[in-house]
Amino acid sequence: MIPTLEVVLGSSRYYACEVCGMIYADSDTARSCESWCSAHGSCNMEITKRAIGKIRRAGLRLR
């Protein structure tokens, strides 16, 4: 199982793809995004349309 980056804002927990930084409400979608991004070097529009935001952090980029 691929670990995902957990984002905590107040009392809410969200999950981010560590490859592209898209944030999702559930960890399964974040894992799907991370798997796709890692395998293809791009984002999948069917997955990213469920994103609720995007994080920016140093070193975060598509591989």
Side-chain angles (χ1 to χ4, degrees), residues 35 37 43 46:
S35 293
C37 290
C43 292
E46 290 300 312

Side-chain angles (χ1 to χ4, degrees), residues 5 15 18 20 26 29-31 33 39 44 46 49 51 56 59:
L5 180 64
Y15 304 90
E18 289 200 57
C20 70
D26 65 282
T29 306
R31 282 190 196 99
C33 183
N44 178 306
E46 290 300 312
K49 72 181 180 184
R56 292 175 61 105

Side-chain angles (χ1 to χ4, degrees), residues 10-60:
S11 62
S12 299
R13 293 184 187 276
Y14 303 101
Y15 304 90
C17 170
E18 289 200 57
V19 180
C20 70
M22 298 303 278
I23 301 171
Y24 300 95
D26 65 282
S27 61
D28 290 337
T29 306
R31 282 190 196 99
S32 295
C33 183
E34 203 163 306
S35 293
W36 180 275
C37 290
S38 294
H40 299 280
S42 65
C43 292
N44 178 306
M45 294 303 293
E46 290 300 312
I47 298 171
T48 59
K49 72 181 180 184
R50 295 189 297 255
I52 58 173
K54 183 172 180 164
I55 60 171
R56 292 175 61 105
R57 111 187 134 131
L60 190 63

